[in-house]
């Protein structure tokens, strides 16, 4: 059975000045899924998110959050939404606790109990009474998420949530987002310009460039047949000859050979190479980079 | 709404603005108290007596002398004539025009701070109430709650009005408490003259009546509060329109200072009386000083300020509820 749709966007457009920045986006988010919003800088991710959370008015199109149209029933729609737009900016001169108290007061029926709960959930209990200006970026990010979760939202929107975090922080964030979707049943929209991040985090992904969605699909379908295998062989020419006879190869400037990634065939190719007296110095599975994926999807058009 | 105002108060207090303002007012009052004290001393030395009748007599002689000099402008001459008439009236009725004491000091302090000092203090709070949310980026969180935008802005405006009332109260209290140390705390019952009208023929004293100083002070406080609310609302509007707090403050400061300058030189530019900034010295009407432009009076100035206030409020709410936030 299909999961319930929590966020529904139809033919969303935004014109700023004379430029059309967002050119008709349509997509849905379902309960319990992490949805990726992938595109290079300037693609229009933040602009779209600003429209989703009610900061800017769409030129046309509709946004429904849990059934409420944001243009008609702003309160009803925003009740079910938590968000961080760009950086997690909170009041630096207030303590973390007072920041949460401040935003809890803007929600109906959110009291101290819930504040304690979200504080514990993001692991900030120890420092919650310190001023926010003494927090590290990672702590601010966590406080931002705590703030977004205060009102028990159904939809969570995070704009580039791992920006500026160190690798450990990125991993922690990733696990936390997966936890929210899988255990708490939230729909999470995450934007990013990094393919690797989206790949590890999301169930489905919309690829956006120049204000249009090029493709929406599950991560598996988008990436599975686009992974490559990188070989470094010695002697090079002999290896190239053997491997080339088995499958299509691509020669790179750094002296490696690229083939398609094929789980079944790789051991076989490896065996053949070894039998032919070629040593396999290196064998690597390679994720496609965003630029390559774009090139393929747009048929050679650049993404500037 | 209550909770939203609580929020704004929480931020205002955390920013410690009111403490800074109270400190500034305190320092200024101390300064003026000392100046006033010095002035009284010099006068006593000069006249060799502390009897105010002699001092008033001397002032009348001074003013008359200045009037007979040919080098003064017509406007200045008119001013002098009016104050001469007032002084004469006080002397004839045996009323001390500057009944020494903290209440009188408070009156003088309020009258002198109404057009620049109090508006400046109000600006400190009003001008970053909205724009600081933009510069911090917190506006994005504030406006993505399930609360309508006009309510968010209204909570800020209510907070501003509360803060302004508090500033006026602090000013009144500090000017009384501090100056009383030197001049004594008595004198609330002292009679003071009000109801002078400046007409084409000069000072009209037909409506003049005696008022207890405390009643007069209450009226002064009310007028100062009114001016502060109007100036606060205008800064508030600028804070909505301009993202940069510094730019908003600059515009407001320029307006206030130009108002002080204009008041002294626009008597022949009649339409200038519709500027809000030449209408700020409301307390002057109570004392019978000549207005900067002929034809201005208390109700005219209050109406002009009221129109500016309403327009500023309307613009603030229209823009804030409609505009895209980047
Ligand atoms: N306030 C604005 N006025 C004009 N153009 C803007 C404004 N904000 C963003 N843009 C333009 O919209 C495009 C998309 O920006 P943005 O949504 O921030 O991209 P992303 O978040 O995907 O990096 C960019 O080309 C940017 O120049
Ligand atoms: Mg962005």
């Amino acid at each position: 059975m299909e999961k319930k749709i929590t966020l529904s966007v139809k033919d969303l457009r935004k014109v700023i000045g004379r430029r059309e920045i967002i050119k008709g986006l349509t997509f849905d988010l379902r309960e319990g899924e992490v949805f990726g919003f992938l595109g290079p800088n300037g693609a229009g991710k933040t602009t779209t998110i600003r429209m989703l959370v009610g900061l800017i008015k769409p030129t046309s199109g509709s946004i429904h959050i849990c059934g409420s149209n944001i243009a008609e029933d702003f309160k009803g729609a925003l009740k079910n939404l938590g968000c961080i737009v760009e950086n997690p900016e909170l009041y630096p001169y207030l303590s973390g606790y007072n920041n949460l108290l401040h935003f809890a007061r803007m929600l109906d029926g959110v009291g101290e109990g819930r504040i304690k709960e979200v504080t514990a959930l993001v692991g900030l209990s120890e420092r919650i009474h310190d001023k926010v200006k003494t927090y590290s970026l990672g702590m601010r990010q966590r406080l931002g998420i705590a703030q977004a979760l205060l009102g028990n939202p159904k939809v969570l929107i995070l704009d580039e949530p791992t920006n500026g975090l160190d690798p450990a922080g990125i991993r922690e964030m990733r696990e936390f987002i997966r936890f929210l979707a899988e255990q708490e049943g939230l729909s999470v929209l995450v934007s990013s310009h990094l393919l690797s991040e989206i790949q590890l985090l999301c169930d489905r992904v919309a690829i956006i460039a120049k204000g249009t969605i090029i493709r929406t699909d599950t991560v598996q379908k988008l990436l599975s047949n686009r992974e490559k295998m990188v070989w470094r062989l010695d002697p090079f020419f002999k290896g190239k000859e053997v491997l080339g006879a088995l499958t299509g190869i691509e020669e790179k400037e750094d002296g490696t050979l690229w083939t398609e990634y094929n789980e079944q065939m790789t051991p076989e190719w490896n065996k053949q190479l070894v039998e032919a007296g070629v040593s396999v110095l290196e064998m690597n599975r390679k994720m496609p980079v965003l630029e390559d994926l774009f090139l393929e999807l747009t048929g050679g058009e650049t993404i500037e | 709404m209550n909770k939203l105002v609580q929020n704004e108060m929480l931020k205002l207090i955390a920013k410690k603005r009111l403490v800074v303002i109270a400190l500034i007012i305190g320092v200024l009052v101390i300064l003026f108290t000392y100046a006033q004290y010095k002035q009284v001393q010099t006068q006593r030395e000069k006249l060799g007596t502390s009897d105010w009748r002699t001092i008033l007599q001397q002032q009348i002689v001074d003013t008359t002398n200045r009037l007979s000099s040919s080098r003064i402008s017509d406007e200045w001459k008119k001013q002098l004539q009016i104050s001469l008439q007032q002084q004469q009236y006080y002397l004839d009725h045996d009323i001390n025009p500057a009944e020494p004491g903290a209440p009188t000091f408070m009156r003088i302090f309020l009258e002198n701070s109404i057009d620049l000092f109090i508006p400046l203090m109000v600006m400190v709070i009003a001008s970053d109430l909205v724009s600081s949310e933009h510069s911090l980026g917190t506006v994005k969180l504030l406006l993505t709650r399930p609360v309508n935008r006009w309510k968010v802005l209204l909570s800020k405006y209510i907070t501003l009005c509360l803060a302004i009332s508090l500033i006026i109260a602090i000013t009144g209290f500090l000017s009384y408490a501090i100056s009383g140390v030197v001049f004594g705390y008595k004198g609330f019952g002292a009679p003071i003259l009000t109801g002078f009208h400046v007409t084409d023929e000069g000072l009209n004293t037909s409506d003049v009546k005696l008022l207890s100083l405390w009643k007069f002070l209450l009226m002064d406080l009310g007028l100062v509060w009114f001016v502060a609310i109007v100036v606060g609302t205008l800064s508030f509007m600028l804070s909505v329109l301009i993202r940069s707090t510094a730019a908003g403050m600059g515009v407001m400061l320029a307006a206030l200072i130009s108002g002080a300058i204009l008041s002294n030189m626009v008597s022949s530019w009649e339409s200038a009386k519709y500027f809000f900034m030449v209408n700020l010295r409301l307390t002057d009407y109570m004392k019978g000083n000549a207005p900067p432009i002929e034809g201005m009076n208390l109700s005219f100035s209050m109406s002009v300020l009221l129109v500016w206030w309403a327009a500023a409020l309307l613009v603030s709410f229209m823009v804030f509820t409609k505009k895209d936030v980047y």
Side-chain angles (χ1 to χ4, degrees):
Chain A
M1 202 191 95
E2 280 278 272
K3 288 261 181 69
K4 217 173 77 191
I5 288 177
T6 49
L7 172 77
S8 158
V9 175
K10 284 201 187 67
D11 199 27
L12 196 65
R13 279 167 210 280
K14 180 70 185 173
V15 178
I16 302 179
R18 278 209 211 97
R19 258 184 72 206
E20 190 172 30
I21 308 256
I22 305 298
K23 304 164 184 159
L25 303 189
T26 302
F27 60 90
D28 291 325
L29 250 72
R30 303 208 181 92
E31 213 168 26
E33 82 171 340
V34 181
F35 186 85
F37 220 47
L38 177 65
N41 285 325
K45 303 183 294 293
T46 301
T47 308
T48 307
I49 287 175
R50 278 177 197 274
M51 287 193 275
L52 297 182
V53 301
L55 285 175
I56 62 182
K57 220 184 220 100
T59 308
S60 71
S62 74
I63 299 162
H64 286 83
I65 302 171
C66 294
S68 303
N69 187 333
I70 193 170
E72 284 156 13
D73 180 13
F74 181 78
K75 275 182 72 172
L78 269 285
K79 256 202 320 245
N80 295 308
L81 183 92
C83 64
I84 304 180
V85 181
E86 291 192 312
N87 308 309
E89 284 134 334
L90 293 133
Y91 298 102
Y93 50 81
L94 295 180
S95 67
Y97 184 83
N98 276 341
N99 265 289
L100 292 180
L101 181 65
H102 177 277
F103 292 111
R105 280 182 185 152
M106 302 184 77
L107 301 160
D108 288 332
V110 175
E112 286 191 29
R114 181 64 184 161
I115 295 180
K116 286 224 174 67
E117 231 171 271
V118 292
T119 309
L121 194 64
V122 298
L124 266 182
S125 300
E126 255 171 59
R127 298 279 311 273
I128 197 67
H129 290 289
D130 294 352
K131 289 244 163 76
V132 167
K133 62 181 162 211
T134 65
Y135 285 15
S136 68
L137 182 69
M139 292 171 72
R140 274 174 220 207
Q141 194 70 261
R142 280 190 271 166
L143 187 63
I145 293 204
Q147 163 277 129
L149 293 175
L150 267 178
N152 280 308
K154 301 268 189 320
V155 181
L156 185 64
I157 295 183
L158 305 172
D159 192 9
E160 314 240 1
T162 54
N163 235 0
L165 294 184
D166 57 22
I170 292 178
R171 227 183 97 191
E172 204 177 287
M173 178 68 69
R174 195 159 61 217
E175 279 161 12
F176 189 64
I177 292 173
R178 291 285 346 160
F179 162 80
L180 288 174
E182 282 162 23
Q183 308 297 319
E184 311 267 308
L186 266 73
S187 310
V188 189
L189 178 89
V190 178
S191 84
S192 177
H193 63 279
L194 298 171
L195 185 62
S196 55
E197 198 176 293
I198 290 287
Q199 195 173 9
L200 292 168
L201 181 61
C202 300
D203 303 308
R204 286 193 307 141
V205 56
I207 296 180
I208 168 170
K210 293 186 195 163
T212 16
I213 291 182
I214 303 173
R215 180 98 174 257
T216 311
D217 217 331
T218 60
V219 173
Q220 272 90 30
K221 282 203 191 129
L222 270 176
L223 296 179
S224 58
N225 48 8
R226 288 193 175 79
E227 281 168 302
K228 293 276 195 270
M229 198 69 184
V230 179
W231 304 80
R232 204 147 65 77
L233 305 173
D234 183 58
F236 179 76
F237 288 104
K238 181 82 184 296
K240 185 176 158 188
E241 200 176 296
V242 176
L243 198 58
L246 294 165
T247 181
I249 55 168
E250 211 178 320
E251 194 179 333
K252 295 279 169 176
E253 286 148 17
D254 61 354
T256 56
L257 295 169
W258 289 33
T259 68
E260 63 164 313
Y261 176 74
N262 187 328
E263 231 167 36
Q264 281 90 47
M265 294 308 293
T266 305
E268 176 62 26
W269 295 339
N270 188 28
K271 200 172 121 211
Q272 299 258 357
L273 282 167
V274 174
E275 275 170 9
V278 180
S279 17
V280 178
L281 302 176
E282 195 185 324
M283 220 170 104
N284 247 328
R285 180 173 163 190
K286 184 104 181 162
M287 297 296 168
V289 283
L290 182 58
E291 284 71 23
D292 296 338
L293 187 60
F294 270 111
L295 279 176
E296 265 182 72
L297 290 174
T298 57
E301 197 189 339
T302 57
I303 50 164
E304 74 206 26
Chain B
M1 183 48 78
N2 243 339
K3 286 183 176 175
L4 296 184
V5 175
Q6 251 179 314
N7 271 347
E8 294 307 319
M9 276 293 168
L10 172 76
K11 288 184 265 184
L12 196 63
I13 291 166
K15 280 196 261 188
K16 299 198 177 73
R17 286 288 155 79
L18 285 171
V19 177
V20 172
I21 288 174
L23 277 177
I24 295 176
I25 294 174
V27 168
L28 226 72
V29 168
I30 291 173
L31 219 68
F32 286 172
T33 303
Y34 186 71
Q36 183 85 2
Y37 172 71
K38 275 284 177 203
Q39 204 182 353
V40 171
Q41 259 193 341
T42 336
Q43 257 171 357
R44 280 179 193 168
E45 269 166 32
K46 204 162 72 185
L47 299 164
T49 168
S50 64
D51 184 6
W52 60 267
R53 278 179 209 84
T54 333
I55 296 174
L56 194 56
Q57 197 87 58
Q58 186 61 42
Q59 275 174 354
I60 291 174
V61 173
D62 277 356
T63 317
T64 322
N65 284 345
R66 267 194 278 174
L67 266 175
S68 56
S69 151
S70 57
R71 281 170 301 153
I72 56 173
S73 69
D74 279 353
E75 271 148 55
W76 186 225
K77 192 173 244 165
K78 205 162 138 194
Q79 283 265 6
L80 283 178
Q81 267 164 351
I82 290 166
S83 76
L84 186 66
Q85 269 175 290
Q86 272 181 337
Q87 286 164 347
Q88 194 63 52
Y89 193 101
Y90 283 125
L91 192 65
D92 294 348
H93 290 77
D94 205 27
I95 296 168
N96 185 350
E99 172 82 29
T104 301
F105 177 87
M106 181 171 153
R107 177 179 65 79
I108 295 171
F109 188 77
L110 285 176
E111 282 164 1
N112 284 304
S113 51
I114 191 172
D115 65 335
L116 205 58
F117 178 60
I118 295 282
L120 220 62
M121 294 299 106
V122 168
M123 263 173 60
V124 170
I125 288 188
S127 59
D128 83 336
L129 219 45
V130 178
S131 54
S132 72
E133 302 273 0
H134 274 110
S135 48
L136 283 177
T138 43
V139 70
K140 292 182 293 191
L141 292 178
L142 211 56
L143 298 184
T144 53
R145 302 301 102 174
V147 176
N148 289 325
R149 282 193 189 184
W150 68 265
K151 277 194 185 164
V152 174
L153 193 66
L154 185 60
S155 71
K156 284 190 176 288
Y157 188 69
I158 291 175
T159 307
L160 174 64
C161 292
L162 290 175
I164 287 174
S165 311
L166 205 60
I167 292 176
I168 307 288
I170 291 173
T171 310
F173 174 75
L174 286 182
S175 60
Y176 176 67
I178 295 177
S179 69
V181 174
V182 179
F183 303 121
Y185 291 101
K186 287 211 253 326
F188 272 120
I192 186 161
L193 284 171
T194 186
F196 299 98
H197 293 296
V198 183
T199 57
D200 292 343
E201 291 90 50
L203 193 65
N204 178 353
T205 54
S206 58
D207 291 339
V208 166
K209 53 181 186 257
L210 280 172
L211 214 60
S212 292
L213 183 52
W214 66 269
K215 281 188 192 161
F216 192 91
L217 269 176
L218 276 185
M219 284 159 79
D220 264 1
L221 280 171
L223 293 176
V224 171
W225 183 82
F226 179 76
V227 166
I229 291 282
V230 172
V231 172
T233 308
L234 286 165
S235 318
F236 187 73
M237 175 188 72
L238 289 176
S239 177
V240 171
L241 296 180
I242 307 175
R243 276 151 162 257
S244 143
T245 305
M249 262 186 142
V251 171
M252 204 59 204
L253 203 60
L256 287 175
I257 291 174
S258 71
I261 300 170
L262 275 177
S263 299
N264 293 324
M265 50 188 265
V266 286
S267 55
S268 47
W269 174 20
E270 228 214 302
S271 42
K273 67 184 178 188
Y274 297 109
F275 286 134
F276 78 91
M277 55 272 199
V278 297
N279 285 294
L280 295 178
R281 295 198 66 98
L282 293 182
T283 46
D284 280 6
Y285 296 118
M286 305 265 295
K287 290 192 305 177
N289 289 1
I293 299 166
E294 220 157 308
M296 286 167 66
N297 57 40
L298 184 59
S299 51
F300 171 84
S301 286
M302 285 184 84
S303 315
V304 169
L305 291 180
L306 214 57
V307 169
W308 279 83
W309 169 82
L313 210 54
L314 195 73
V315 170
S316 306
F317 274 87
M318 298 251 284
V319 172
F320 191 76
T321 48
K322 293 262 154 57
K323 79 168 167 186
D324 283 351
V325 176
Y326 294 102

